[in-house]
Each structure stands twice: as structure tokens, then as C-alpha cells.
Amino acid sequence: EPRNGIGPRWDPIGEFRDATHGAGARGGHPAPTQRLTASVGGGGRRGSRPRRGRAGPRRAEADERRAAMTRRTGRRPGNPGTREAILDAARTAFAERGYDAASIRGIAGTAQVDPALVHHYFGSKDQLFLAAMNFPVDPGQLVPKVLAGDRDGVGERMVRIFLGVWDSPTGSAAQALLRSAVSNEWTARLLREFVTTQVLRRVLENLDVDPVELPLRGSLVATQMIGLAMMRHVVRLEPVASADPETLVAAIGPTIQRYLTGPLPS
């Protein structure tokens, strides 16, 4: 049953996907393989050993041992539904506890899988968060471009790269995510954590500003950037909606720069 408007096949852009795979392993466990015994009559040689080299019985025994381990631990093995189960658990963890408090081990426990499977499918917690959000680009690849160059140009570079993503064909997923966040508190929590931890924190921690000021500076930057995306792509307020990107960079960049490195009101 959907939780907070988000079902087990929830897509961050606000749609439900049809299930194309089963949610768990199918079929029963393989029956134990009976061991071959020496013939004690009927012309067979006493004490004769079973023939070796046949992989079937041994493989069946190995499968049974793995199945027994799964029954003991209660954790599901890798299967087509495992990835979705991990994503569902990750979205819940990131929305309820936040990025910093959520852990790979805790997410794996909720999904009833081994933590190694989470690393197998997604690599790191950053990559898992990115997959859970279904965001079109990886901020980890964009933030270094924002920081490349002089400190006083970070604001303009940030706006320019931001528009490059949102104005591109891949930006449609980000636009849909923003629309969903307006009406869905669950999506809003995820978006808030994503913007804060994956974008703003990474930029501000490299600008040598007072750590105490980081939350306020980051929030002020978010008002401009998310507001720009909302007016340009959702509300489509003219002339912002059709303005040349460099015009917006020149107009908004200095404001972003002041929020990032300028003096704040006491």
C-alpha cells in the first residue's frame, strides 16, 4: 500500500512504474541431493565408490547450502526485485533520517539483503542517493566545475552550470521532480536532503567560510536557484522563461556570490 503517496514502485518524478519483475526469489529451494551409496548386492562390487566428475549432484548440494543460509539469515538473495527493494528502503531512510544519519547497513536491513549487495548494485552511499532520486546528472561531476577558477566567479559559474542542466533535454526529469516536491511532502524531504548534502554543502565547504554560517548561506543560495528553476520551467514566468542563459547568469550570479562569500547581516 503506498506510503505517504509513494508506493513500492515509486518514481521520484511522481509516477508509478509497472512492475516488470517479481519482488522476490521465485520457486522453492532445491531438494537435497541424496548421496550415492556402494552396492551391497545384485552383482555390484562391495565398497565401490561413486563416479566422480559429475557436476550436477555437487552443484545441487551447493545450492541447497546457500538456500539453507538464506533461510537462517532471512535475507533475500540477488534477484530482479532486489534492486527495487533497496531503492525503496533507501528512499524511506533518506527521507525519514536524512542523508547523514542513513547508513548502508540500515538500508540493507530494511530491504532484507546483505550490505554487500547494496555496494554491488550502487557502489557508494552517494550513488545510492543519486539512484533513489532518479536525478539526471551526478552533482559530484558538476561541483568541481563550479569550483574551478577564481573564488569570486563561483556564483556565475554555479548559475551557468545550473541552467545548463535544467535547460537541457535531461533537465525534464529534474523539472518533474520539482513539480512533485511542491505537492508531495515525501518528495520535498528527499529534494531538500539532496540539494543540501550533494550540492550546497560540497560547494560551501570549499570556499573557506565560517562553518557556523553554512546553513544560512546554503539556504539563501537555494532560494535563488530553486526559485529560478520554478519560474523558468514550471511557472514559465516571462521574460525569465525565455531569457538567454547568459543574461540570467549576469543578473543572478552576483547575488549568488554574495550569499556564498559576502558579509551576512549580523
Side-chain angles (χ1 to χ4, degrees):
E1 184 174 319
R3 181 179 183 180
N4 295 327
I6 298 174
R9 286 293 183 269
W10 175 76
D11 189 303
I13 66 174
E15 300 176 350
F16 288 89
R17 297 195 299 270
D18 292 333
T20 57
H21 298 288
R26 301 187 179 181
H29 298 295
T33 300
Q34 298 179 351
R35 302 182 62 86
L36 298 177
T37 57
S39 174
V40 295
R45 288 189 305 163
R46 192 169 188 175
S48 61
R49 296 183 179 180
R51 295 176 59 186
R52 296 186 178 183
R54 293 185 178 180
R58 295 185 180 182
R59 184 175 303 159
E61 290 178 3
D63 290 344
E64 173 60 21
R65 285 194 296 271
R66 284 193 293 269
M69 290 179 64
T70 301
R71 289 194 297 269
R72 288 196 299 270
T73 62
R75 291 175 172 175
R76 73 177 78 209
N79 60 71
T82 300
R83 190 176 190 276
E84 285 301 323
I86 294 172
L87 287 175
D88 290 340
R91 293 181 186 116
T92 300
F94 290 136
E96 291 184 347
R97 296 192 288 275
Y99 175 82
D100 292 330
S103 68
I104 293 292
R105 183 174 296 277
I107 291 170
T110 301
Q112 295 185 337
V113 301
D114 192 279
L117 271 181
V118 181
H119 291 291
H120 169 73
Y121 281 112
F122 302 100
S124 65
K125 189 165 82 165
D126 285 345
Q127 293 300 315
L128 175 59
F129 197 10
L130 186 66
M133 291 296 297
N134 195 29
F135 205 72
V137 295
D138 183 357
Q141 298 178 356
L142 299 180
V143 170
K145 297 179 181 179
V146 172
L147 298 172
D150 63 283
R151 187 172 184 262
D152 293 336
V154 172
E156 290 190 353
R157 290 194 296 273
M158 193 170 188
V159 177
R160 183 176 292 112
I161 292 173
F162 180 86
L163 289 173
V165 172
W166 285 75
D167 291 355
S168 69
T170 59
S172 59
Q175 297 165 26
L177 177 63
L178 181 58
R179 291 189 183 96
S180 178
V182 173
S183 59
N184 190 303
E185 174 59 25
W186 199 259
T187 312
R189 291 182 189 179
L190 287 171
L191 181 61
R192 182 165 59 245
E193 280 295 312
F194 186 77
V195 170
T196 301
T197 64
Q198 304 302 300
V199 180
L200 299 176
R201 179 193 293 176
R202 292 180 177 184
V203 172
L204 285 164
E205 287 181 344
N206 286 275
L207 294 180
D208 192 27
V209 296
D210 187 348
V212 176
E213 298 177 347
L214 293 183
L216 178 57
R217 290 184 183 276
S219 298
L220 291 172
V221 171
T223 63
Q224 293 294 306
M225 305 302 282
I226 300 300
L228 173 58
M230 180 68 72
M231 293 299 105
R232 186 170 173 85
H233 292 288
V234 179
V235 179
R236 299 186 183 279
L237 178 66
E238 293 292 355
V240 171
S242 58
D244 180 76
E246 285 303 313
T247 298
L248 297 176
V249 169
I252 301 174
T255 301
I256 297 295
Q257 186 68 43
R258 179 165 61 87
Y259 288 158
L260 289 172
T261 61
L264 295 177
S266 57

